[in-house]
Amino acid sequence: MKDIAEIRSDFPILARKVYDKPLVYLDNGATTQKPQCVIDALTSVYTTYNANIHRGVHYLSDKSSEAYENSRERVRSFINAGKKEEVIFTSGTTGSINGIAFSFGERYINPGDEMIISHLEHHANIVPWQMMCERKGAVLRVIPINDNGEIILEEYYKLLTSKTRIVSVAQASNALGTIVPVREIIDAAHAMNIPVLIDGAQSVQHGITDIQTMNCDFYVFSGHKIYGPTGIGVLYGKEKWLSELPPFQGGGDMVDKVTFEKTTYNELPFKFEAGTMNYTAAIGMCAALNYVLDIGLENIAAREQELLSYANKRLSGINGLTIYGNSDRKISTISFLLKGIHPYDTGMILDKLGIAVRTGTHCAQPVMDRYGIDGTVRASICFYNTKEEIDALTSGIEMVMSMFS
Ligand code: PLP
């Protein structure tokens, strides 16, 4: 693995100062910083071959279409999907889940049907399903979590019935960091012929993803959380589902033949890609995936787990600090509260020290309700962070505590 100095020099923003202090960026769960190769890939599109994809016969259009389709192939091999046609580009995780919730609802959901999510979900994996349930007269069921922030599998098994049509869960919680036992969840659903969507927004960047081993029916993630650009995401779906589902958007490129009487749709994956796609961002995401592959997903996972246990040790030594989410299996995210201090105050003071953390409900209000709290402070660590930065966070927290004592 590259050494840490070399890794950090790949990310130009990490060298900047904030309020004249070195930036300590610990908000990677919200979005990650971009390596120079991603920035270069975007510049290269705009400076050398920008043209709309799949539309023209001219040289530039050919070049950009080829780069876009190469990005699709890169995503396919990155997640080990069986076929390139099973990889749909979207605007992000939110776009992917909304799309499936709409299409699946239209095709398969009837009044009285049920679908299952968990109490750990990000709003992006709650609200689209709620909207679907409202539209179709279906019922949303929620798998409860225990005090450690882990899904209670026995309760999940009880929720699976002949009325269940789909299950949709995150592979890792953005609010608590819990890694969810998706294999057990998928196997139990499949035993009853129920498909499963896995929200990989907080997991795909932390280790190897093998769709075929996981055997989920749908898998979604966002480019910007895996060191790629904003505005691009992935919706993987098994061919047997995607070929049956109706498109969730209509427009250019997703059609075969259009007349005023009837329109027939394009083949996969184009059926689900209406209008001008964010091909620039897809090409940028390809560079990001190449970058993490070059570092090695196993190396990334090992380094992040080491940083997580270091951070756990440092933070749990602080009197008055409570960590929310204490599963044995976590991504490198720590959510915490300081006794008697509002998370916004903690976040604002840390900010003045150059330390970027996230405060609030993390788009997971039901998780906060579960613990009876308004929000937390969240440090989300990734492989370009250092133990020195965790020390800076620890001293910053100690300063906050002393200011309020
Ligand atoms: N799902 C999870 C678990 C997330 O953490 C997030 C974003 O934080 C999302 C979905 C939504 O991702 P995006 O805003 O990139 O669509």
Side-chain angles (χ1 to χ4, degrees):
M1 184 173 173
K2 282 181 174 181
D3 72 33
I4 185 65
E6 211 183 330
I7 288 174
R8 287 181 69 83
S9 71
D10 290 337
F11 293 81
I13 205 171
L14 296 181
R16 72 158 290 167
K17 293 194 164 180
V18 172
Y19 309 118
D20 223 22
K21 309 255 178 354
L23 167 69
V24 175
Y25 187 75
L26 297 173
D27 195 16
N28 297 290
T31 199
T32 52
Q33 300 303 346
K34 317 305 168 199
Q36 188 64 49
C37 61
V38 169
I39 302 165
D40 289 346
L42 299 177
T43 307
S44 165
V45 178
Y46 287 129
T47 52
T48 62
Y49 61 92
N50 178 51
N52 209 331
I53 51 166
H54 303 152
R55 292 211 181 20
V57 289
H58 61 81
Y59 181 83
L60 295 187
S61 179
D62 245 21
K63 277 278 285 173
S64 60
S65 302
E66 190 186 324
Y68 179 72
E69 290 307 323
N70 286 343
S71 307
R72 195 189 308 280
E73 170 54 26
R74 166 47 75 222
V75 171
R76 185 208 64 73
S77 65
F78 189 83
I79 60 175
N80 193 30
K83 293 181 177 170
K84 210 172 133 187
E85 291 71 23
E86 296 177 320
V87 174
I88 317 287
F89 285 118
T90 64
S91 58
T93 306
T94 304
S96 301
I97 300 176
N98 273 279
I100 285 301
F102 178 81
S103 291
F104 198 91
E106 289 308 292
R107 178 80 173 77
Y108 295 111
I109 303 292
N110 292 306
D113 286 347
E114 297 182 358
M115 71 94 33
I116 299 176
I117 58 171
S118 87
H119 207 124
L120 279 179
E121 303 312 316
H122 184 281
H123 297 163
N125 199 26
I126 302 173
V127 185
W129 298 111
Q130 259 172 345
M131 290 161 68
M132 183 272 271
C133 286
E134 259 171 49
R135 220 174 46 245
K136 306 303 284 189
V139 181
L140 191 74
R141 300 274 181 222
V142 182
I143 316 166
I145 54 173
N146 63 21
D147 289 345
N148 281 338
E150 297 162 317
I151 275 179
I152 306 173
L153 277 175
E154 303 75 55
E155 296 297 326
Y156 164 62
Y157 298 141
K158 286 188 217 157
L159 291 178
L160 285 170
T161 71
S162 59
K163 289 184 185 166
T164 314
R165 295 288 165 265
I166 189 165
V167 176
S168 186
V169 291
Q171 194 173 11
S173 151
N174 67 310
L176 304 177
T178 319
I179 295 175
V180 172
V182 290
R183 263 318 283 271
E184 283 86 336
I185 288 177
I186 294 165
D187 289 349
H190 283 181
M192 298 175 70
N193 288 323
I194 300 162
V196 181
L197 182 148
I198 299 296
D199 171 357
Q202 294 292 341
S203 49
V204 72
Q205 63 281 54
H206 294 297
I208 293 170
T209 301
D210 185 334
I211 290 297
Q212 292 184 70
T213 308
M214 198 191 302
N215 198 21
C216 56
D217 300 273
F218 303 100
Y219 189 85
V220 299
F221 65 93
S222 298
H224 72 100
K225 293 187 196 284
I226 184 162
Y227 312 100
T230 47
I232 189 76
V234 169
L235 160 58
Y236 156 85
K238 279 186 181 160
E239 191 180 21
K240 69 166 181 171
W241 291 111
L242 293 182
S243 51
E244 286 214 359
L245 288 172
F248 38 79
Q249 280 193 319
D253 223 25
M254 53 74 73
V255 292
D256 170 31
K257 184 153 175 52
V258 181
T259 65
F260 290 120
E261 289 70 40
K262 186 170 169 60
T263 291
T264 53
Y265 303 130
N266 205 338
E267 60 200 15
L268 288 177
F270 312 112
K271 177 173 115 179
F272 291 102
E273 294 185 353
T276 297
M277 297 300 290
N278 196 343
Y279 55 90
T280 321
I283 294 164
M285 178 165 69
C286 179
L289 298 182
N290 286 337
Y291 180 80
V292 291
L293 283 169
D294 195 39
I295 302 231
L297 272 306
E298 300 97 328
N299 294 330
I300 288 176
R303 179 167 170 82
E304 290 179 343
Q305 285 300 312
E306 189 188 330
L307 290 171
L308 173 66
S309 48
Y310 184 72
N312 260 329
K313 204 164 79 202
R314 294 298 325 259
L315 298 196
S316 54
I318 300 174
N319 216 347
L321 184 149
T322 305
I323 293 177
Y324 290 84
N326 289 297
S327 175
D328 288 342
R329 296 193 62 228
K330 282 179 69 173
I331 53 165
S332 41
T333 288
I334 302 188
S335 243
F336 62 90
L337 277 180
L338 307 181
K339 192 160 190 235
I341 305 173
H342 197 278
Y344 290 125
D345 292 329
T346 308
M348 294 238 309
I349 297 169
L350 290 175
D351 172 55
K352 295 294 176 291
L353 301 171
I355 303 169
V357 290
R358 172 112 182 243
T359 56
T361 63
H362 318 297
C363 296
Q365 286 174 20
V367 174
M368 303 303 135
D369 292 344
R370 166 68 177 72
Y371 290 100
I373 54 179
D374 292 338
T376 68
V377 182
R378 182 186 74 181
S380 48
I381 299 162
C382 82
F383 67 93
Y384 53 54
N385 291 125
T386 62
K387 289 187 177 165
E388 291 71 30
E389 289 183 314
I390 290 162
D391 291 342
L393 172 68
T394 311
S395 321
I397 292 170
E398 277 160 353
M399 180 187 268
V400 175
M401 307 268 301
S402 69
M403 284 170 75
F404 278 83
S405 68

